[in-house]
Amino acid sequence: MAIPESSTSKPMRAQFEEFVVSLQNEIVSAFEALDGAAPAFKRDSWVRPEGGMGQSCVFASPADDPTHQSVLEKAGVNTSVVYGTLPPAAIKQMRADHTSMPLPDRPDGLPFFAAGISLVIHPRNPNAPTVHANYRYFEITEPTDSSDSDTPSEPKLLAWWFGGGCDLTPSYLFEEDAIHFHSTLKNVCDQHGPALYPTFKKWCDQYFFIPHRGETRGVGGLFFDDLNEGPHARLPSVDSAEGRRPTAAEDIFAFVRALGESFVPSYIPILEARHAMPSTPHQRRWQLLRRGRYVEFNLVYDRGTKFGLMTPGARIESILMSLPETARWEYMSDLGEEGTEEGRLMEVLRKPREWVN
Amino acid sequence: MAIPESSTSKPMRAQFEEFVVSLQNEIVSAFEALDGAAPAFKRDSWVRPEGGMGQSCVFASPADDPTHQSVLEKAGVNTSVVYGTLPPAAIKQMRADHTSMPLPDRPDGLPFFAAGISLVIHPRNPNAPTVHANYRYFEITEPTDSSDSDTPSEPKLLAWWFGGGCDLTPSYLFEEDAIHFHSTLKNVCDQHGPALYPTFKKWCDQYFFIPHRGETRGVGGLFFDDLNEGPHARLPSVDSAEGRRPTAAEDIFAFVRALGESFVPSYIPILEARHAMPSTPHQRRWQLLRRGRYVEFNLVYDRGTKFGLMTPGARIESILMSLPETARWEYMSDLGEEGTEEGRLMEVLRKPREWVN
C-alpha cells in the first residue's frame, strides 16, 4: 500500500493536523471580524488522557442578557487529533460504516489516528441559515512490536481515508443562498473530478435525512467518506472518463483542503446578507421548531454524535456543541403549511432539489 | 398458561382499555380544574390503519402570546390500544428487552395486543417538577388459523405482561416533594408486596440514567416491566417471605390500577405548592438546560421513543409529545456548580438517594 506522504516527505498526519488548526483560525477570525461588537469565541484546549488533544472554539451569546443582539447565537469550531487503540467492537462498527474498505479483524484491537475539524454555526436571525462542516483524516496501522526496539520506524499502514462534507440548514428558504452555497462547493469539486459533486451532493441528501419526519435536515451540500486510493462504493471506476478523481493521498488532501478553504466564501456572504434582516416573533418561533429538528437528527441519527455518546471518556461537551442554544417542540404545529413561507421550505426538505447543474 | 380473565370473565384487554381511558379523563380533568384560566387540553382521537386507536390529550400554551402565564407549559396524556402482527425483527428486539420471558420465534411474526396510558407534564414554573407516568398491558398470541372458521374462539395466549412506572424530574430540589412523591408510590406498592417498591425504585434509577452525562433524569420513582405469573428477573421468588406479590393477571391489574390512580395524589399537591412561586430568569435558564437533558434522555435512550421512531407508520407526533416546549444547551455551562441551588439538584442526580424507608 502506498504510504500517504507528501513530496516533502512530511507525513500526512502532520500535514492534516496543520491544515485543520490553520483552517480553524481562519474560520473563527472570519466570524469575529463580522461581528466586532460580540464577545470573542472562547478558546478551550483539551488533552485526551488516552492520546491526543484538541481545541474547541465556542461562541455563546451572554446567557443572562436577552437584549444582546449578536450575529451568532451559538457556534462551535472544533479541531481534534486523537490516537490510540481501536477496540474490536469499534472496529466492527467501523467495518459496517466503511463497507468499501477491508478493515482487518484483530482480537486485541488496532492502532488508529484521526484528525479533524468540525463546526456548527447557529446564527440568531431566523433568515440566516445554520451551517455545518466537517473534514477528517483517518489511519489504521499495524500494531507495533515493542520488543523489536532496534530502529523506530513508521508503523505499517493498514488503511487510511479522508471524509467530510458540509450542509446548510435554513429556517426560511432563500433560493439564491442555496444556489450560492452549492455553486461554491461544485466549483471546488469539479476541479478534482466530474463525479465528485453529483455523488457527494446526493450522499449528503441521503445522510442528513430524518426518517421519522420524512424530511432532510436542510438544503444539503456535500457528504463523503472512505476516499482513498482504492475503488469507492459510490464513485465510478477511475478507469472510466467520468471516474477521474484524486487517488493519491496528497491529491485527495488537496481536494479536501480546497473544500475546507471554500467554507468562508461559501457561507459568510450568506450570513452577511441575512443577519440584519428584520424578523418577527412568528419567524423566531419557526426557527426554534427547525432547531428542534436539528436536535432530533443529531441525537438520533448522526453517526459521529452517536459514536461519541457511546465512547467512554469522550468529551461530551465538544460532541454536543453542535446542539442549538434553544430548540422548540409543538404538538401538531400549525406552522409549515402549504402556501406559507414555512411551507416553501418544507417542500424542498421533503423533495431535495438540484441547486446547480 | 392461565388466561388472564377477570372473575366476571371480561377479558383483560377490555378491562385494561377501560382503565386507561377512565384514568386519562381523571388526570386531564385534574389539570384543567387546577388552572381554570388556561385553555382546555386538546383532545385528538386517531385510528391506526393497521389496527387500533388512541386519544392524545395535549396542552400547549398559546404559541404567539408570551405573556400568557398558564400553570402548564406543555403536557400530553395519551392512551392507545393497538394490535396486529409483530414482525420477526420486533420480536427479536422484544426478546432482548424482556429477558425474563420466553417469547417464541416465528418467521411470519406473531399477533400482539398492547394497551397503555402515557403522560408527560412540563409545568411552566422552574420550581415545579416535570412528571412522567406510563402503564401498559401486553399480549402475544398464537396466530389464528383463518382456514378453521368453525367457531371463533379466543386466540391462545403465548405471553402477557404488565409494565409501567412514573418519575419526577425537578429543576430545583425540594426534598419534601421527592419524599411526598416516593411515599405515595411506596404506600401503594407495599399493599401488594414488600419487594415491589425497593425493586422498582432501583430499576427506575437505573432506567432513567443518562450515561453520557453520568446523571439520572430526575429524582426517580418506579419502573417495572414483565410482571406476570412467572418468575421475574429482578424480584425475589414468590415462595420466599419477601417475594409475596400479585401473580394472577387480575391481581397484577389491581396493583397497576392502584398505581395509576395514585398519580393525581402523588403529583397535583406538588404542582399546587410550586406553580405560583416567584422565579427569576436565572431559574428559567436552568430549567431550560434541564429540559435539554430531558430531550437527550428521550431521544437517545428511552426504549419506547426509540422503538416508536424506528416503527414505520408510527404516530410521531404522539411519540414526541414527551419533548418539552423549549430546551436549551450551553457549552460548558457555569450553572450547576457545587454550593449553589442548581448544584444541590446535581448531587442527587449523580447519586440517587433513598427518599423513604
Side-chain angles (χ1 to χ4, degrees):
Chain A
M1 172 174 280
I3 293 172
E5 290 200 357
S6 80
S7 49
T8 65
S9 100
K10 187 182 268 189
M12 185 50 68
R13 295 179 174 212
Q15 290 190 68
F16 204 83
E17 181 171 349
E18 274 173 28
F19 158 63
V20 297
V21 168
S22 142
L23 184 60
Q24 181 183 38
N25 275 326
E26 187 203 323
I27 291 173
V28 170
S29 302
F31 286 113
E32 289 179 340
L34 186 69
D35 192 5
F41 277 58
K42 186 176 154 192
R43 272 88 167 163
D44 215 358
S45 292
W46 49 268
V47 171
R48 181 170 174 270
E50 301 84 2
M53 51 180 291
Q55 188 180 38
S56 294
C57 297
V58 180
F59 178 85
S61 48
D64 284 333
D65 178 7
T67 61
H68 186 83
Q69 288 301 314
S70 49
V71 171
L72 302 184
E73 186 163 300
K74 185 154 178 261
V77 186
N78 281 358
T79 53
S80 67
V81 178
V82 299
Y83 45 87
T85 300
L86 213 54
I91 297 175
K92 193 181 163 193
Q93 177 65 48
M94 193 158 267
R95 200 179 291 118
D97 287 344
H98 302 267
T99 49
S100 64
M101 234 177 334
L103 290 177
D105 203 357
R106 293 290 177 94
D108 49 350
L110 284 169
F112 79 97
F113 168 92
I117 180 168
S118 178
L119 66 89
V120 177
I121 311 292
H122 296 288
R124 182 179 300 281
N125 193 298
N127 297 291
T130 286
V131 71
H132 154 260
N134 166 238
Y135 295 102
R136 54 192 181 271
Y137 172 67
F138 216 97
E139 281 184 4
I140 290 180
T141 51
E142 282 277 8
T144 47
D145 186 354
S146 54
S147 66
D148 173 15
S149 55
D150 266 1
T151 47
S153 61
E154 287 289 314
K156 191 183 163 218
L157 270 174
L158 294 174
W160 58 268
W161 69 94
F162 293 83
C166 55
D167 73 299
L168 196 69
T169 308
S171 297
Y172 285 93
L173 180 65
F174 292 89
E175 298 194 357
E176 61 270 40
D177 293 353
I179 292 168
H180 169 78
F181 189 73
H182 277 269
S183 301
T184 309
L185 299 173
K186 182 173 187 295
N187 286 342
V188 173
C189 288
D190 287 353
Q191 286 167 40
H192 298 262
L196 301 179
Y197 174 77
T199 305
F200 298 163
K201 190 273 184 197
K202 190 176 168 191
W203 200 348
C204 185
D205 287 337
Q206 291 169 345
Y207 181 81
F208 292 106
F209 181 67
I210 310 175
H212 66 263
R213 297 290 190 179
E215 59 193 46
T216 57
R217 183 168 86 170
V219 297
L222 302 176
F223 183 90
F224 63 94
D225 211 350
D226 301 343
L227 267 194
N228 61 17
E229 61 191 347
H232 192 281
R234 289 175 179 255
L235 288 167
S237 159
V238 288
D239 300 328
S240 64
E242 71 276 20
R244 182 176 58 80
R245 65 172 172 96
T247 51
E250 276 301 324
D251 298 334
I252 303 176
F253 177 45
F255 167 59
V256 172
R257 197 171 43 205
L259 281 178
E261 284 161 4
S262 79
F263 174 78
V264 168
S266 76
Y267 180 69
I268 293 282
I270 297 174
L271 187 56
E272 280 174 332
R274 305 293 163 219
H275 79 79
M277 285 178 72
S279 70
T280 65
H282 174 90
Q283 289 179 315
R284 173 68 175 166
R285 183 181 144 214
W286 174 245
Q287 180 193 37
L288 296 185
L289 288 171
R290 298 312 308 169
R291 297 244 202 276
R293 297 292 212 274
Y294 210 87
V295 171
E296 289 176 29
F297 178 82
N298 285 22
L299 292 182
V300 180
Y301 301 106
D302 185 62
R303 227 155 73 173
T305 306
K306 283 171 77 172
F307 189 79
L309 293 184
M310 302 306 157
T311 305
R315 193 168 191 272
I316 294 301
E317 289 291 328
S318 294
I319 294 165
L320 296 184
M321 172 208 81
S322 63
L323 299 181
E325 181 200 75
T326 312
R328 179 178 176 93
W329 284 270
E330 297 178 7
Y331 173 78
M332 306 278 272
S333 179
D334 56 325
L335 298 190
E337 292 304 305
E338 208 179 323
T340 64
E341 273 304 302
E342 293 78 21
R344 276 186 63 234
L345 176 76
M346 293 314 299
E347 260 178 64
V348 305
L349 300 187
R350 291 196 188 112
K351 195 162 181 280
R353 199 183 288 179
E354 294 304 321
W355 296 104
V356 283
N357 290 304
Chain B
M1 175 174 278
I3 292 173
E5 292 199 357
S6 79
S7 47
T8 64
S9 101
K10 186 182 270 190
M12 184 50 69
R13 296 179 174 212
Q15 289 191 69
F16 204 83
E17 182 172 349
E18 274 173 28
F19 157 63
V20 296
V21 168
S22 142
L23 183 60
Q24 181 183 38
N25 276 325
E26 187 203 325
I27 290 173
V28 170
S29 302
F31 285 113
E32 289 180 340
L34 186 69
D35 192 5
F41 278 57
K42 185 176 152 192
R43 271 85 167 164
D44 214 358
S45 292
W46 48 269
V47 170
R48 182 172 175 268
E50 301 84 3
M53 51 180 292
Q55 188 179 38
S56 295
C57 297
V58 180
F59 178 86
S61 48
D64 285 334
D65 178 7
T67 61
H68 186 84
Q69 288 300 317
S70 50
V71 171
L72 302 185
E73 185 164 299
K74 187 154 177 262
V77 186
N78 281 358
T79 53
S80 66
V81 178
V82 298
Y83 44 88
T85 301
L86 214 54
I91 297 174
K92 193 180 163 194
Q93 178 64 47
M94 194 159 265
R95 199 179 293 117
D97 288 344
H98 302 268
T99 49
S100 64
M101 234 177 332
L103 291 177
D105 204 354
R106 293 291 177 95
D108 49 349
L110 284 169
F112 79 97
F113 167 93
I117 181 168
S118 178
L119 66 89
V120 177
I121 310 292
H122 295 289
R124 183 179 299 281
N125 193 299
N127 296 292
T130 285
V131 72
H132 155 260
N134 166 239
Y135 296 102
R136 55 193 180 271
Y137 173 67
F138 215 97
E139 281 184 3
I140 289 180
T141 52
E142 282 276 8
T144 47
D145 186 353
S146 53
S147 67
D148 173 16
S149 54
D150 266 1
T151 46
S153 62
E154 286 289 315
K156 191 184 164 216
L157 271 173
L158 295 173
W160 59 268
W161 70 93
F162 293 83
C166 56
D167 73 299
L168 195 70
T169 308
S171 297
Y172 285 92
L173 180 64
F174 292 89
E175 298 194 358
E176 61 270 39
D177 293 353
I179 292 168
H180 168 77
F181 189 73
H182 277 268
S183 301
T184 309
L185 298 173
K186 183 173 188 294
N187 286 342
V188 173
C189 288
D190 288 354
Q191 286 167 41
H192 297 262
L196 301 178
Y197 175 77
T199 305
F200 298 162
K201 189 273 183 196
K202 190 175 169 192
W203 200 349
C204 185
D205 287 337
Q206 291 169 344
Y207 181 82
F208 292 105
F209 180 68
I210 309 175
H212 66 264
R213 297 290 190 180
E215 59 193 47
T216 58
R217 181 167 89 169
V219 297
L222 301 177
F223 183 90
F224 62 94
D225 210 349
D226 301 343
L227 266 194
N228 61 18
E229 62 191 347
H232 192 281
R234 289 176 178 255
L235 287 166
S237 161
V238 287
D239 299 329
S240 65
E242 70 277 18
R244 182 176 59 78
R245 64 170 172 97
T247 51
E250 277 301 324
D251 297 335
I252 303 175
F253 178 45
F255 166 59
V256 172
R257 197 171 43 207
L259 282 178
E261 284 161 4
S262 79
F263 174 78
V264 167
S266 75
Y267 180 68
I268 293 282
I270 297 174
L271 187 56
E272 280 175 332
R274 306 293 163 220
H275 79 81
M277 285 178 70
S279 69
T280 65
H282 174 91
Q283 288 179 316
R284 174 68 175 165
R285 182 181 146 215
W286 174 245
Q287 180 194 36
L288 295 185
L289 288 171
R290 298 313 307 168
R291 297 245 200 275
R293 296 293 212 273
Y294 209 86
V295 171
E296 289 178 29
F297 178 82
N298 284 21
L299 292 182
V300 181
Y301 301 106
D302 185 62
R303 229 156 70 174
T305 306
K306 283 171 76 171
F307 189 79
L309 293 184
M310 301 307 156
T311 305
R315 194 167 190 274
I316 294 302
E317 289 291 329
S318 294
I319 294 165
L320 296 184
M321 173 208 81
S322 63
L323 300 180
E325 182 199 75
T326 312
R328 181 180 175 91
W329 285 270
E330 297 177 7
Y331 173 79
M332 305 279 272
S333 179
D334 55 324
L335 299 189
E337 293 303 304
E338 208 179 323
T340 64
E341 272 304 303
E342 294 78 22
R344 275 186 62 234
L345 175 76
M346 293 315 300
E347 260 178 64
V348 304
L349 301 188
R350 291 194 187 113
K351 196 162 181 278
R353 199 183 288 178
E354 294 303 322
W355 295 105
V356 282
N357 289 307

